[in-house]
Amino acid sequence: MGVAAARRPEGGICFRCYRVDPQVTQPWAKCGKSRIPAVRRDDGQPVCERCWDRPQRECSRCHTVDLVKALTADGPLCPRCYNDQRQHGECGCGGEIAPLARRATETQPACCYRCYRRPTQHTTCGFCRQQRDCQRLAGESWVCRRCMPKPQRPCGHCEKSRPTAATWPLGPVCQPCYGTLRYGGRRCHTCGQVRPLTGRDDAGTGICGPCAGHASPPPCRTCATADAYAHGQCARCLLHERLLALLAGPTGPVLAQLTPLIDEMISTPNPLRLLNWRQKTSCSQFLGHLAASGEPISHATLDALPAGHDESYVRALLVRTNVLPPRQESLDRLTPWLDRLLAERPIRHAQLLKPYVQWELLRRARRQGARGRSVAGSGLKIRAEVLLILEFLTWLDTANSPWPPCARATWRTGSMPDPPDATICACSCPGHTGGA
C-alpha cells in the first residue's frame, strides 16, 4: 500500500515499482544505466539526475549565480536566500536559532524542523492492529512508526535502493551510509578539515558539505566539537545524557561501580547504534532496573534473578567493561541452576545430589580449568549427568525396589553394589539388625 505514481489499465503503480518499470526507464546517455530520465539533451538522449548538471541562474535577491531552489513572483532564489526568507526563531526544544516548523502557542513552544515530530495518538494501527502511538496518513488510517511506509531511493554512496535517511549534495543517503559518513569523518582534500564527506567534486572524490555548497548543521551545544544530531546535541553527548538517566540510582547520581560501563559505551565509534539499543531493547531496561535498586551489582545478585537472555547479556556486558570480575560461566551457573532444579524435588534428592555435584563433578571440572583446559563442554556434561541421576532417583521412588531405605540413601553413582542383605546392613533401619 502506498501513493500511486502512475495508473495503468491493470491498476495503480507505486513509486517503488515505477522507478524500475521498463516502460518508463531508459538507458542513460552518460553512464549507461537504465533508470528514469531527468532531462533530455538537445539530441533527444536521456540523462539521469546524477549525470545531469543542474542549470544555474542569477538569484533575484543576492544576484549571485547559483542553483535555483525556488521560483517566486520576484524571480528565482538560490538555496541560501530561500532558507533566509523562511521564518527563523529560537527553538524551544533545542535552543538554536533555525527555521521554525511550528510557531509557539499557549500550550506548545516553537519547534524547528530538526526537532519537530508529527502529532501522534495512541490508537490501533491500521496495519498491524496493535495499540501504539500512531500518525495519520493523508487519506489513510492511523499507522504506527513501525508500519509507516518508507519510500526507497538509490543511495548516493552505496547505490542500493533503501529508505532515505538524509539528502546531501552527493544525493539520497540510506541509514547505514548515514551513520558511516556522519560519524566517520575524514580529511577533506579541498579545505583540509576533518569533516563528514557529504559531497563529491567533479572527479568523484568525497568532499565536505561546506566545500560542496551545503551549509553544515549547527554545532553541539554541549561539546561544540561535533554537529548537532537531535535536541541541539551530537549523538555522543545525547547518548551520555540518556545513559546517565538510565543508570541513575534511587538518590539520583549513578553508582560509582557503573562508571567504567558508561565510559566504555560513550567511547563507541558509532553512538547511533547504542542510542537505538538504549531505546528499543529490553536488555537496557533490565540494566536500568538493576541500577535503580541502589544495591551493588555482583554475580550473586544476577544469579538470584530469573535466567534468560537479558540476564546473560547484561552479565557479559558488565564483565567486558570490568564492572564484574570474570569467572568460568559454564561452571559457576551450575549451582543456581541446580537449586532451581531441586526446588520441587524431595529433600532426600538434594541431600544426595548437591554434595556429589559440588565435591566430585564441579571440583574435577575446576581442576581441569586451572590446568588451562576448556571447561565449556564440562558444564553441559555435568547438567546431563545430573538429569540422568534425577531420573534414576525418581525411578527408585516409584519402582517396587527390594532395597531398604538406608541403602537407597547411601547409593553412589558408579559404585552401586548388589541389593544388600538385611543381615549385613550397618544402620538401625526398622526391620534390620546392625552388623558388619
Side-chain angles (χ1 to χ4, degrees), residues 43-103:
D43 56 358
Q45 293 294 329
V47 181
C48 67
E49 292 184 356
R50 185 175 300 176
C51 301
W52 174 43
D53 296 330
R54 297 178 58 187
Q56 297 184 359
R57 299 171 60 183
E58 182 180 356
C59 178
S60 60
R61 293 185 60 183
C62 63
H63 303 287
T64 59
V65 179
D66 200 348
L67 299 177
V68 177
K69 181 66 175 179
L71 292 175
T72 63
D74 298 333
L77 291 179
C78 65
R80 180 171 300 178
C81 294
Y82 174 78
N83 294 330
D84 291 341
Q85 77 168 2
R86 293 187 298 176
Q87 181 183 7
H88 284 61
E90 182 179 359
C91 177
C93 302
E96 64 270 9
I97 303 298
L100 298 180
R102 182 186 63 203
R103 298 181 180 181

Side-chain angles (χ1 to χ4, degrees), residues 100-422:
L100 298 180
R102 182 186 63 203
R103 298 181 180 181
T105 61
E106 297 179 357
T107 58
Q108 295 179 340
C111 186
C112 66
Y113 284 93
R114 183 182 297 272
C115 302
Y116 177 73
R117 297 294 182 270
R118 297 179 61 183
T120 60
Q121 180 178 343
H122 191 77
T123 182
T124 302
C125 175
F127 290 85
C128 62
R129 302 298 178 185
Q130 299 292 329
Q131 290 287 334
R132 291 172 178 165
D133 292 337
C134 301
Q135 298 178 358
R136 191 174 185 84
L137 297 180
E140 300 290 343
S141 60
W142 291 94
V143 182
C144 66
R145 184 177 180 181
R146 181 176 299 178
C147 300
M148 183 71 67
K150 300 177 179 61
Q152 296 187 0
R153 301 168 61 188
C155 176
H157 183 256
C158 65
E159 299 183 357
K160 296 181 180 179
S161 294
R162 292 174 176 173
T164 301
T167 301
W168 286 339
L170 59 86
V173 180
C174 63
Q175 186 64 43
C177 296
Y178 177 82
T180 302
L181 296 174
R182 182 75 180 273
Y183 298 99
R186 297 181 180 180
R187 189 172 300 278
C188 176
H189 77 282
T190 302
C191 62
Q193 300 291 330
V194 178
R195 291 173 177 172
L197 304 183
T198 59
R200 288 196 180 98
D201 56 9
D202 297 336
T205 306
I207 57 177
C208 64
C211 294
H214 186 264
S216 60
C220 174
R221 58 183 171 86
T222 302
C223 63
T225 59
D227 296 337
Y229 170 72
H231 306 291
Q233 293 180 302
C234 65
R236 200 173 303 279
C237 294
L238 185 62
L239 174 63
H240 189 201
E241 180 179 324
R242 293 186 177 180
L243 286 178
L244 293 178
L246 174 67
L247 304 178
T251 59
V254 179
L255 297 177
Q257 182 186 12
L258 299 177
T259 302
L261 173 64
I262 297 180
D263 296 340
E264 180 72 19
M265 297 183 81
I266 63 176
S267 62
T268 177
N270 190 356
L272 287 179
R273 183 175 299 176
L274 285 184
L275 280 174
N276 294 332
W277 173 85
R278 159 68 181 88
Q279 182 178 359
K280 298 181 180 180
T281 62
S282 58
C283 298
S284 62
Q285 302 301 324
F286 183 87
L287 183 60
H289 292 322
L290 285 178
S293 64
E295 300 293 334
I297 302 176
S298 62
H299 285 292
T301 305
L302 296 176
D303 290 339
L305 299 176
H309 172 266
D310 294 345
E311 181 264 339
S312 301
Y313 181 88
V314 170
R315 187 194 299 270
L317 178 63
L318 296 178
V319 170
R320 185 171 60 86
T321 54
N322 298 323
V323 176
L324 294 180
R327 67 174 190 175
Q328 295 176 342
E329 200 63 30
S330 61
L331 300 182
D332 292 331
R333 295 176 67 93
L334 279 172
T335 300
W337 172 80
L338 185 61
D339 293 338
R340 292 191 297 268
L341 185 63
L342 297 177
E344 299 180 357
R345 295 278 183 166
I347 299 178
R348 57 181 178 273
H349 291 181
Q351 293 176 347
L352 172 65
L353 196 55
K354 279 187 176 181
Y356 174 69
V357 173
Q358 293 290 342
W359 298 103
E360 182 67 22
L361 301 181
L362 282 178
R363 184 181 180 185
R364 184 193 311 161
R366 289 195 176 96
R367 191 184 301 119
Q368 294 178 356
R371 296 174 181 173
R373 300 180 182 178
S374 176
V375 295
S378 300
L380 297 176
K381 182 179 179 181
I382 293 175
R383 289 173 186 254
E385 189 170 350
V386 167
L387 294 176
L388 184 61
I389 294 174
L390 286 177
E391 183 180 355
F392 182 74
L393 292 178
T394 303
W395 176 82
L396 285 180
D397 291 340
T398 57
N400 188 14
S401 175
W403 289 25
C406 59
R408 290 202 298 270
T410 56
W411 172 82
R412 296 184 62 186
T413 305
S415 59
M416 182 181 65
D418 294 331
D421 191 8

